[in-house]
Amino acid sequence: MSKILLLLLFFSFLNVHSQNGRKFIHGKISDKLGGLSNVHIINLNTKRGTYTNENGDFKIPVKLNDSLRFSFVGYETKLLKIIKKHFGIQNNNFSLNKTTYVLDEVDLNRNNLLGFLSADSKLIKKEKVINAETLKLPFAGERILTPAERRLQTARGGKNPALIGLLGGSISLDWIINSVSGRINKLKKLKDIEESEKNISYIKNTYETMIINELNISEDNLYRFIYFCEADMKFIRILNGGEIAMINFLKQKSKEFKKL
């Protein structure tokens, strides 16, 4: 028993020594309605802090001339210098005041509005929009091609390829060369793969929760199930048919998937 007592005394000594002679003071922080919970109290000298409980009570180690800061969202921050009376038996009671926010004055007559939309819309100054279309830059407003689409377009001779006469028609010289070499077919396959991965990512991001929780497809089988659905010849048509069509499609495919 004496050994246990010695250990307790030893740890108590370490704790007191670590506080550098500081003692705990007890306090309560309130506003006009009562105790404030979760007020942040920090000793600016030791950088140690705590929070008030649901009744506004707290305790924190301090010594003479330490400075405490009380802060809480929506209330004015308060600073306190520790003096002798704070070490008394009674609790230290502190109060915080709510912060008053003053909004900037709004001048309703600045634009001379009349209250009629048809008339006021002509009086309101509109900021000039600056973008590729207003600047009339080349290809402004066109859809941005994916990397695979750009490579395929380049292999075919670009957007406006140089054409040569061939059997009464016209075709790009680059198109002929890349078709013969097999590059066109290879890039078409890469474009199809890119499109497939985009569709799979969309299904995963949009319907993952439903697939796992409602269709009871395990998370380990999530991608396997989505690839199974994407392989269906009706997938693209269903994908373009809207959310309801896709949900019904996924429900039907889940039954087929589970049988497999």
Side-chain angles (χ1 to χ4, degrees):
M1 182 64 70
S2 58
K3 292 183 179 179
I4 297 176
L5 181 59
L6 288 174
L7 286 174
L8 290 175
L9 291 173
F10 175 72
F11 285 119
S12 298
F13 171 78
L14 288 179
N15 185 51
V16 172
H17 180 71
S18 65
Q19 296 297 331
N20 295 321
R22 288 179 168 82
K23 299 179 181 180
F24 279 99
I25 65 166
H26 296 261
K28 183 182 182 70
I29 300 179
S30 309
D31 64 359
K32 294 180 180 180
L33 299 178
L36 287 173
S37 62
N38 294 320
V39 178
H40 186 212
I41 304 102
I42 184 169
N43 187 326
L44 298 177
N45 297 83
T46 63
K47 306 302 181 184
R48 294 187 60 185
T50 185
Y51 290 89
T52 57
N53 62 16
E54 63 273 10
N55 298 317
D57 300 317
F58 73 93
K59 69 175 183 177
I60 190 170
V62 296
K63 68 179 182 179
L64 285 177
N65 298 321
D66 277 358
S67 295
L68 299 183
R69 183 178 67 197
F70 307 140
S71 58
F72 190 48
V73 176
Y75 288 77
E76 296 177 356
T77 299
K78 187 169 187 176
L79 295 176
L80 174 72
K81 187 175 182 180
I82 298 300
I83 57 179
K84 286 184 178 180
K85 73 173 185 178
H86 294 132
F87 293 97
I89 299 176
Q90 74 283 357
N91 276 358
N92 299 287
N93 296 314
F94 308 103
S95 62
L96 293 183
N97 298 320
K98 285 192 175 182
T99 302
T100 302
Y101 295 97
V102 180
L103 299 178
D104 294 334
E105 183 179 354
V106 178
D107 186 0
L108 297 178
N109 295 320
R110 183 174 299 172
N111 292 312
N112 299 318
L113 300 180
L114 302 175
F116 299 98
L117 183 59
S118 58
D120 291 341
S121 61
K122 299 176 183 179
L123 298 175
I124 298 175
K125 295 181 179 180
K126 300 179 180 178
E127 294 185 4
K128 186 177 181 181
V129 178
I130 300 177
N131 54 34
E133 294 183 14
T134 58
L135 295 176
K136 298 182 180 179
L137 297 178
F139 314 121
E142 293 188 4
R143 185 177 71 85
I144 299 176
L145 299 179
T146 65
E149 289 174 332
R150 285 199 300 271
R151 288 194 293 267
L152 181 58
Q153 185 182 85
T154 301
R156 289 172 171 171
K159 182 179 179 182
N160 297 305
L163 303 177
I164 62 171
L166 181 65
L167 300 177
S170 298
I171 191 170
S172 165
L173 181 60
D174 289 334
W175 197 324
I176 295 174
I177 295 173
N178 288 317
S179 294
V180 173
S181 67
R183 179 171 173 77
I184 294 289
N185 288 334
K186 180 180 178 181
L187 292 176
K188 283 182 178 179
K189 292 179 180 179
L190 289 176
K191 178 178 176 296
D192 292 339
I193 293 173
E194 183 184 71
E195 185 70 22
S196 174
E197 292 298 326
K198 183 181 72 173
N199 292 335
I200 288 169
S201 295
Y202 169 77
I203 296 299
K204 193 262 183 187
N205 295 333
T206 307
Y207 300 102
E208 178 178 6
T209 301
M210 187 201 79
I211 293 173
I212 294 175
N213 296 332
E214 297 183 26
L215 302 185
N216 296 319
I217 301 295
S218 67
E219 190 171 350
D220 292 338
N221 285 323
L222 177 62
Y223 274 106
R224 188 176 295 122
F225 172 68
I226 296 175
Y227 277 105
F228 174 73
C229 295
E230 195 267 345
D232 193 300
M233 295 183 63
K234 302 188 295 295
F235 178 78
I236 297 300
R237 176 172 59 82
I238 298 295
L239 183 64
N240 296 328
E243 185 174 358
I244 295 178
M246 177 54 68
I247 290 175
N248 291 331
F249 174 75
L250 293 174
K251 288 180 178 179
Q252 179 59 39
K253 296 301 289 186
S254 68
K255 297 176 182 178
E256 299 176 13
F257 183 78
K258 290 174 183 177
K259 289 181 180 179
L260 295 175

